[in-house]
Amino acid sequence: MPRIFGTDGVRGLANGHLTAELALDLSVAAARVLADRGEFEGHRPRAVVGRDTRISGQFLEHAVVAGLASAGVDVLLLEVLPTPGVAFMTQALDADLGVVISASHNPMPDNGIKFLARGGLKLDDAVERDIEKHLDEPWERPLGGAVGRVTPYATAVQEYVDHLVGTLARPLAGIKVVLDCAHGAAYDAGPQALRAAGAEVIAICADPDGLNINDGCGSTHLGPLRAAVVEHGADAGFALDGDADRCLAVDHTGADVDGDQIMAILAVGMSESGHLPKNTVVATVMSNLGFVQAMRAAGIGVRQTKVGDRYVLEAMRVSGYGLGGEQSGHVIMSEYATTGDGTLTALHVLERMAVSGQTLQSLAAVMTRLPQVLINVPDVDKRRANDDPVVAAAVAEEEAALGDSGRVLLRPSGTEDLVRVMVEATTADDARAVAERLADVVKRQLSL
């Protein structure tokens, strides 16, 4: 059976690939699989359902709720709430299942469905595979009082905001910040949390109309944030994505601060205060070499994983690490959250500014980003990327020439017939020259 679930749930064009019928079937199958696994034993099962601001989320929400209730699951409707907020409420309400209806940073026409296990954690791959196997199967439906109840849960935003603010050790009084909400799921909770923490907040792109989520704003389009920070003389700015599980930042001059720099700021602060478990941070292989060098200089270990927040979270859970994330701004602070949380990240970067008395620009200078060049080489046999001796020899030669001042990463795409060639070096010209030479070798050796 072809996979329906991707790396972050089921995602696609709403009412195209992702239909109401599929949403209903997925919810029924999820309820049946969890019941078969004994997750509902001894009690009435309960789920929480939240969504972002896409207009398609309304009909998909109804379909998901109908499926769950028809399978005997009581449902609490959280309505518009960030993905990390749904994860928090899944845990806080001891729900058996959480459902997020969102396509994160994707364009508005897309949408997605993501299931969360008890405790607010992502479902295991094996459970997702079981759900796929149970789609469209005949089943014995509950009747009478055994069907699920559907109840609005009106205090979800306030409870989530209270949780976020409660993670801080000191107020953010005296800090002016711009928050770009991407017209997304945190348009209400994000500004509320920062204001409740004591910051002066200018909220932009916080007027969702169902159609404008991620449209020229948010973490994928930093232009509006840069302009607003400079215009308002703010100390910093943060841009969330559509479901607010990630954020990127700009300093008071409008200069970008990426996910690696954000992690470096938090890691150094946590290490200095003795709150960085095992004095180690988890990052992916795509993190800038400058991040690894900065952590080494600060005496902090770096555990690197494959690309994807699920691999970062898995390494954190298995080894007991407390901080991890990606260059994209998906930062996980496991003491407070089970997934990336853009608003939580912004709060703790601002707290670091308040505690240290330093600007965001000064804190970000803890690491120097090496120029990074990425070339996608299409129409090649990606399966041989790591085995071809000529490619391997070319990579080894370039790595030897770069030494400790750069690195090379060849990564087959997970979804397309292409190989990604990423090179970091002390100058952009050097990085591009190496990347182009290696891309030529890959194209010549692995062409289909």
Side-chain angles (χ1 to χ4, degrees):
M1 174 182 292
R3 293 302 308 263
I4 294 174
F5 284 89
T7 56
D8 204 26
V10 178
R11 194 175 292 185
L13 182 64
N15 225 23
H17 166 69
L18 184 55
T19 62
E21 294 85 351
L22 177 57
L24 190 148
D25 287 348
L26 282 166
S27 301
V28 169
R32 292 178 60 209
V33 166
L34 292 178
D36 289 345
R37 288 172 170 260
E39 298 292 336
F40 303 159
E41 196 70 35
H43 65 280
R44 284 188 65 91
R46 180 165 59 173
V48 297
V49 178
R51 58 181 172 86
D52 69 21
T53 55
R54 293 163 217 267
I55 194 167
S56 60
Q58 297 176 9
F59 81 76
L60 290 171
E61 176 187 65
H62 285 288
V64 166
V65 171
L68 292 173
S70 73
V73 179
D74 292 338
V75 180
L76 296 176
L77 282 173
L78 308 180
E79 297 192 338
V80 175
L81 195 67
T83 290
V86 178
F88 167 72
M89 295 306 301
T90 303
Q91 184 178 45
L93 296 173
D94 196 28
D96 300 285
L97 181 67
V99 187
V100 181
I101 301 167
S102 176
S104 188
H105 58 279
N106 283 30
M108 181 279 297
D110 289 345
N111 216 322
I113 297 174
K114 177 164 57 179
F115 295 104
L116 302 172
R118 179 182 293 277
L121 299 168
K122 289 187 177 182
L123 288 184
D124 291 339
D125 285 344
V127 179
E128 291 181 344
R129 191 63 173 166
D130 278 350
I131 292 172
E132 292 172 341
K133 291 177 181 176
H134 281 76
L135 289 174
D136 299 323
E137 282 187 350
W139 58 294
E140 186 175 344
R141 301 167 184 269
L143 303 172
V147 301
R149 282 81 162 164
V150 181
T151 308
Y153 194 85
T155 59
V157 169
Q158 189 58 57
E159 290 181 37
Y160 173 54
V161 167
D162 290 345
H163 160 68
L164 291 173
V165 177
T167 67
L168 299 178
R170 61 161 293 168
L172 306 179
I175 296 179
K176 181 190 285 190
V177 59
V178 177
L179 184 67
D180 182 340
C181 302
H183 298 303
Y187 81 96
D188 186 10
Q192 269 200 54
L194 269 63
R195 289 187 180 116
E200 178 184 348
V201 181
I202 297 99
I204 65 172
C205 305
D207 299 296
D209 61 11
L211 306 175
N212 58 1
I213 186 170
N214 299 321
D215 186 10
C217 59
S219 62
T220 53
H221 302 87
L222 293 181
L225 179 64
R226 297 186 194 106
V229 167
V230 174
E231 176 189 350
H232 292 281
D235 298 298
F238 295 88
L240 307 173
D241 64 341
D243 71 335
D245 67 348
R246 68 177 71 182
C247 78
L248 295 176
V250 302
D251 65 24
H252 69 283
T253 70
D256 295 357
V257 178
D258 70 12
D260 285 338
Q261 291 169 296
I262 289 171
M263 282 198 296
I265 291 168
L266 294 176
V268 170
M270 292 169 68
S271 179
E272 289 179 354
S273 64
H275 289 93
L276 184 63
K278 301 186 179 180
N279 212 41
T280 297
V281 62
V282 181
T284 74
V285 293
M286 288 299 290
S287 280
N288 194 277
L289 179 59
F291 171 77
V292 178
Q293 293 172 339
M295 294 299 94
R296 185 183 302 133
I300 298 171
V302 178
R303 166 77 181 277
Q304 290 188 284
T305 72
K306 292 191 291 185
V307 175
D309 66 283
R310 68 187 304 130
Y311 302 113
V312 172
L313 184 57
E314 180 182 359
M316 294 175 68
R317 289 177 58 194
V318 168
S319 301
Y321 301 128
L323 177 66
E326 299 183 277
Q327 195 178 66
S328 61
H330 195 119
V331 177
I332 303 167
M333 304 181 74
S334 61
E335 182 178 354
Y336 312 117
T338 58
T339 185
D341 189 326
T343 307
L344 177 73
T345 300
L347 285 167
H348 281 264
V349 171
L350 291 169
E351 184 183 44
R352 175 66 177 155
M353 290 169 59
V355 169
S356 67
Q358 298 183 63
T359 65
L360 180 56
Q361 182 185 55
S362 176
L363 291 171
V366 70
M367 69 163 278
T368 301
R369 284 183 292 189
L370 270 67
Q372 188 179 83
V373 172
L374 177 66
I375 297 178
N376 291 326
V377 186
D379 303 321
V380 293
D381 184 358
K382 63 183 180 181
R383 296 168 299 178
R384 295 192 290 120
N386 296 319
D387 299 323
D388 185 89
V390 175
V391 172
V395 169
E397 181 180 349
E398 297 290 1
E399 286 179 331
L402 289 169
D404 293 334
S405 64
R407 69 176 179 129
V408 173
L409 178 66
L410 256 64
R411 189 167 67 90
S413 168
T415 57
E416 304 171 80
D417 284 324
L418 59 82
V419 172
R420 307 189 194 281
V421 179
M422 192 275 286
V423 177
E424 291 169 343
T426 53
T427 71
D429 287 344
D430 288 344
R432 178 155 297 280
V434 174
E436 289 176 348
R437 287 196 295 269
L438 288 175
D440 287 343
V441 174
V442 170
K443 183 67 174 178
R444 186 170 60 252
Q445 289 297 120
L446 305 182
S447 289
L448 292 171

